Amino acid sequence: MSTFTQFKIGNDIVTLDFPEISHVKSLYETINTDYLSLRRWLPWVDEIHSIEDESKFIEMARKDIALNKTIVTTILINGKAVGIIDLHNISRKNMRAEIGYWISKDVQGHGIMTESVKRFIEVVFKELNLHKLTIIAESDNNKSRAVAERLNFEHEATLKEHLIYNDEFKDLIIYSKFFNR
């Protein structure tokens, strides 16, 4: 197991680990249990039909990490995998990247995601010498937007009617955070 960062919230030990095959079963169970709520915000959920599908994702993530294309971390609470934080669309030339995240409904509302993203961005800003991080959330995704706002990401733009979900156009909110600004 390779730890990205670790901290404590209340009596819980929260660890951000690089993805391991040992995380697959717990992540798949979470995706399966929270399918409807995750699917609402994350279209890739429809592609995860089995433990094998989640295993393929972990294998792909590990390869992309090795190629410096992305950074993916599994959120573990007391050793149990409950979500993911990733850095994607990394542009070393422009010194920017995007953050994505999701977490089990069972552990939402305790500050775990906000603190996890905070710790994640501290490491990536420092280690990757980035200038800008972006979080993109659907305007109706109040929980995801709240994480960005609690971490003092700036509302940079609203992309009007940018996505279609259930035959309805949805707006996307772009949040940004700058390093050394």
Side-chain angles (χ1 to χ4, degrees):
M1 200 175 308
S2 183
T3 299
F4 186 79
T5 189
Q6 187 175 64
F7 54 95
K8 200 169 182 185
I9 291 185
N11 293 324
D12 294 318
I13 296 174
V14 180
T15 307
L16 302 183
D17 267 355
F18 290 103
E20 299 284 342
I21 295 302
S22 63
H23 303 157
V24 169
K25 184 176 184 228
S26 183
L27 288 172
Y28 175 71
E29 288 171 356
T30 298
I31 292 166
N32 198 37
T33 300
D34 294 350
Y35 174 77
L36 291 177
S37 62
L38 288 173
R39 182 179 185 264
R40 171 62 183 91
W41 313 113
L42 304 167
W44 57 260
V45 170
D46 285 338
E47 298 170 21
I48 307 296
H49 302 288
S50 65
I51 288 177
E52 291 77 25
D53 291 338
E54 184 62 19
S55 183
K56 287 176 188 173
F57 165 76
I58 295 293
E59 290 172 20
M60 179 194 67
R62 290 171 57 90
K63 286 178 186 173
D64 286 348
I65 291 167
L67 294 170
N68 293 316
K69 291 182 175 181
T70 189
I71 296 174
V72 178
T73 60
T74 303
I75 304 166
L76 298 130
I77 299 178
N78 302 321
K80 181 182 180 196
V82 296
I84 297 279
I85 300 176
D86 77 286
L87 191 72
H88 55 277
N89 292 336
I90 300 169
S91 172
R92 296 201 189 277
K93 176 183 176 188
N94 295 303
M95 300 171 65
R96 63 177 161 75
E98 295 175 26
I99 297 176
Y101 45 84
W102 65 269
I103 196 165
S104 168
K105 285 190 314 186
D106 291 343
V107 296
Q108 291 178 8
H110 302 286
I112 294 165
M113 183 55 82
T114 300
E115 189 64 23
S116 295
V117 173
K118 177 184 172 191
R119 302 291 181 112
F120 184 85
I121 64 175
E122 287 171 355
V123 173
V124 298
F125 266 139
K126 180 181 173 186
E127 297 298 322
L128 298 181
N129 191 34
L130 295 174
H131 173 69
K132 178 181 180 180
L133 288 177
T134 305
I135 294 173
I136 301 174
E138 191 178 306
S139 61
D140 294 338
N141 192 340
N142 295 325
K143 290 180 181 180
S144 186
R145 293 182 59 200
V147 169
E149 291 166 6
R150 280 192 293 272
L151 294 173
N152 297 314
F153 275 69
E154 300 174 29
H155 176 213
E156 186 171 309
T158 300
L159 302 177
K160 296 287 189 182
E161 299 182 3
H162 199 72
L163 294 176
I164 295 179
Y165 179 76
N166 284 341
D167 297 322
E168 186 178 334
F169 285 99
K170 300 291 183 176
D171 298 346
L172 290 182
I173 308 295
I174 300 174
Y175 292 95
S176 298
K177 188 171 189 93
F178 298 89
F179 189 66
N180 289 333
R181 189 172 187 198

